[in-house]
Amino acid sequence: MCASGDTIRNIMLAAHRQGMTNGDYAFFNIELFNSSSYGNGSWRRGDKHDLEAKKAYSYLQTVTLLRTVKPEFEKFSLEVKSSVQKQGLHEDDYANMFVEGFHDAILLYALALQEVLKFGFSKKDGEKIVQQTRNRTYEGIAGQVSIDANGDRYGDFSVIGMTDPETGTQEVIGDYYGKQGRFEIRSNVKYPWNHGRLRLDESRVSEHTNNTPCKSCGLGESAVTGIVVGALLGAGLLMAFYFFRKKYRITIERRTRQEDCNMGKHRQLREDSIRSHFSAA
């Protein structure tokens, strides 16, 4: 799912009321803003549905941008907050992904410009500066930032899950590092699926492993294959019939026009012949 925090909460409440939060399903939400303006992924709203929402969210995993624990980021957040408040602005979140992204982008530009100047070029050599921004890794305000050969940033993400169903505590349970293509479970938290809340139906696994039909799984593989092949053959026959009909119709029309033309010529010849006989008489 990918929607606002309130929409996700409504979906999870509906799923809970339909009995879909009993261990047979897992839900994943994408929340890439790291900002309370878009919803912080919490189930708590202070209304009468909080208890239901807490139970429902125990089966929800939220994929978000990498959540950093660097002290530098905390300091940066406080500085941004202080600067914004001096301007007379009061928001719920100050150091969101946009502010963080601008910070790291300016830092990348400064590093690239420094190297370009060191090689004897100037700040007007934009192409050289762009080249220096690619294929590099540097330390951003929230962690390492890696840029690939196309100038795109590798995505680093975190997965948030409910680690304590009783209190409804949600924590980062794992992190994905885009450059290495590696997913790591954090060692200091309890992995939510270890509590037995998500159950694996062993009977279905064994049935599929033994290649025996699964009565509870609907159509078997052979039935699905037959449907697909039948659909392809049916489509082929329809196309063949369409083109045959089209070609046959064109042939008939050509013959009809040719016959009409021949009849016209024959009629004209007969009229000319009769007219010549009358003239001779």
Side-chain angles (χ1 to χ4, degrees):
M1 301 175 288
C2 185
S4 67
D6 290 337
T7 301
I8 295 298
R9 187 173 186 262
N10 291 334
I11 292 175
M12 293 306 300
L13 285 172
H16 180 69
R17 291 160 186 165
Q18 292 294 323
M20 299 175 67
T21 55
N22 57 3
D24 292 332
Y25 299 90
F27 298 85
F28 290 88
N29 171 38
I30 301 174
E31 173 55 75
L32 299 182
F33 292 100
N34 279 2
S35 169
S36 58
S37 298
Y38 295 90
N40 57 7
S42 174
W43 52 267
R44 188 177 284 106
R45 294 293 187 277
D47 58 19
K48 62 181 181 180
H49 303 299
D50 270 359
L51 183 59
E52 281 186 296
K54 183 175 68 172
K55 294 179 180 178
Y57 271 53
S58 62
Y59 295 95
L60 176 68
Q61 276 61 239
T62 299
V63 180
T64 185
L65 295 176
L66 182 68
R67 294 295 177 94
T68 182
V69 293
K70 288 181 58 177
E72 294 85 353
F73 183 77
E74 297 298 329
K75 181 181 178 181
F76 170 72
S77 300
L78 293 175
E79 291 176 352
V80 171
K81 180 178 180 179
S82 176
S83 177
V84 171
Q85 288 180 344
K86 287 180 180 178
Q87 303 298 324
L89 302 175
H90 299 277
E91 302 291 338
D92 294 332
D93 55 290
Y94 299 93
N96 54 38
M97 64 165 292
F98 302 105
V99 177
E100 176 189 336
F102 274 117
H103 176 279
D104 291 346
I106 294 297
L107 182 58
L108 175 61
Y109 172 75
L111 293 172
L113 178 61
Q114 185 180 19
E115 294 177 358
V116 166
L117 295 176
K118 185 174 64 176
F119 293 143
F121 298 98
S122 72
K123 63 182 180 181
K124 295 183 179 180
D125 294 309
E127 185 176 353
K128 298 293 183 182
I129 296 175
V130 170
Q131 290 176 357
Q132 292 300 321
T133 63
R134 298 176 177 177
N135 277 326
R136 68 180 303 155
T137 299
Y138 65 100
E139 194 68 24
I141 193 61
Q144 280 195 341
V145 178
S146 298
I147 309 297
D148 65 13
N150 297 320
D152 297 323
R153 179 175 177 171
Y154 286 98
D156 297 326
F157 306 97
S158 294
V159 178
I160 300 174
M162 186 175 291
T163 56
D164 189 345
E166 297 299 326
T167 62
T169 302
Q170 293 171 287
E171 298 178 85
V172 174
I173 60 176
D175 302 292
Y176 174 80
Y177 300 95
K179 186 177 182 180
Q180 296 82 13
R182 185 180 73 254
F183 181 73
E184 294 181 354
I185 298 295
R186 292 196 180 183
S187 58
N188 60 333
V189 297
K190 296 179 181 179
Y191 191 57
W193 292 355
N194 283 345
H195 298 297
R197 298 199 304 275
L198 288 178
R199 302 188 304 271
L200 183 64
D201 191 339
E202 298 294 343
S203 62
R204 292 189 181 185
V205 175
S206 61
E207 285 174 355
H208 284 288
T209 303
N210 297 330
N211 293 324
T212 56
C214 176
K215 296 180 180 180
S216 61
C217 295
L219 295 175
E221 291 184 3
S222 59
V224 174
T225 303
I227 292 173
V228 173
V229 173
L232 292 176
L233 289 176
L237 289 173
L238 286 174
M239 292 178 65
F241 175 75
Y242 170 77
F243 286 113
F244 173 78
R245 183 173 179 273
K246 185 176 181 180
K247 184 177 181 181
Y248 179 76
R249 185 180 61 190
I250 293 174
T251 303
I252 293 297
E253 291 177 351
R254 286 179 178 176
R255 288 182 178 178
T256 302
R257 286 197 298 268
Q258 187 175 1
E259 290 176 356
D260 291 343
C261 183
N262 291 336
M263 289 181 63
K265 290 180 179 179
H266 181 66
R267 188 181 300 108
Q268 184 66 33
L269 287 174
R270 288 187 60 189
E271 291 177 354
D272 292 343
S273 177
I274 293 172
R275 192 177 297 111
S276 62
H277 282 299
F278 274 111
S279 299

